[in-house]
């Protein structure tokens, strides 16, 4: 199993800001923390963050993750972590779910969608991707 499989375990979990519990509620950072934990990978969990990170807060947090390494966005594939801009700054995390019928998909905990969902990484969502990270296997 990989982090996509672990993320899919959380499908239909409602959105809850700073949530970390499958079935009860999670946000995008909580989904990533859940997946890394299930994979047995080290991670630094953030607490007390605002609803709309700004000033590079989320990017610094991902850069500081011991199990992630930044890669070119064009190389993103199944299991990679995507940092997205919704308004101005990077403020959202999604997991590349791989290709389905020749199109890339993402899975993420989205307030807009009401919880953990999988959907196509279409033109609009693709334009939001600002950074990509590869999950490093446990040593």
């Amino acid at each position: 199993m990989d982090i996509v499989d672990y993320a899919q375990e959380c499908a239909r979990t409602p959105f809850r800001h700073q949530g970390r519990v499958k079935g009860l509620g999670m946000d995008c950072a909580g989904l990533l923390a859940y997946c890394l934990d299930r994979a047995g990978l080290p991670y630094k969990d953030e607490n007390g963050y605002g609803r709309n990170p700004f000033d590079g807060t989320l990017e610094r947090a991902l850069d500081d993750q011991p199990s992630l390494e930044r890669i070119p966005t064009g190389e993103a594939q199944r299991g990679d972590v995507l940092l997205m801009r919704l308004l101005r700054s990077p403020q959202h995390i999604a997991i590349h779910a791989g290709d389905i019928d020749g199109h890339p998909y993402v899975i993420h905990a989205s307030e807009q969608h009401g919880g953990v969902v999988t959907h196509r990484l279409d033109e609009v969502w693709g334009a939001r991707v600002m950074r990509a990270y590869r999950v490093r296997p446990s040593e």
Side-chain angles (χ1 to χ4, degrees):
M1 290 186 61
D2 65 10
I3 69 166
V4 174
D5 298 316
Y6 300 130
Q8 289 172 338
E9 292 177 352
C10 300
R12 294 177 299 283
T13 294
F15 180 86
R16 189 174 119 230
H17 178 60
Q18 296 186 30
R20 299 289 187 272
V21 182
K22 177 180 90 169
L24 294 178
M26 54 180 49
D27 63 8
C28 62
L31 179 63
L32 178 60
Y34 174 88
C35 292
L36 294 175
D37 184 60
R38 285 276 286 132
L41 298 170
Y43 66 94
K44 295 179 183 179
D45 201 357
E46 300 286 326
N47 295 305
Y49 51 86
R51 267 181 134 48
N52 296 308
F54 61 95
D55 294 336
T57 303
L58 189 54
E59 183 176 6
R60 283 190 302 277
L62 289 179
D63 284 342
D64 199 31
Q65 288 298 325
S67 296
L68 299 180
E69 63 182 317
R70 195 185 286 197
I71 61 168
T73 57
E75 293 179 14
Q77 60 188 9
R78 178 185 167 92
D80 290 337
V81 176
L82 306 176
L83 178 63
M84 300 178 143
R85 168 180 39 111
L86 296 180
L87 298 172
R88 295 180 305 270
S89 306
Q91 61 191 125
H92 188 63
I93 300 168
I95 297 169
H96 195 301
D99 287 356
I100 301 171
D101 295 328
H103 300 286
Y105 276 71
V106 292
I107 184 166
H108 59 125
S110 165
E111 186 170 21
Q112 172 187 355
H113 294 93
V116 178
V117 296
T118 301
H119 63 78
R120 192 168 158 186
L121 185 63
D122 61 16
E123 232 177 79
V124 171
W125 282 93
R128 293 175 174 167
V129 176
M130 299 187 77
R131 301 275 182 272
Y133 298 83
R134 177 105 348 118
V135 176
R136 288 185 224 154
S138 185
E139 297 176 8

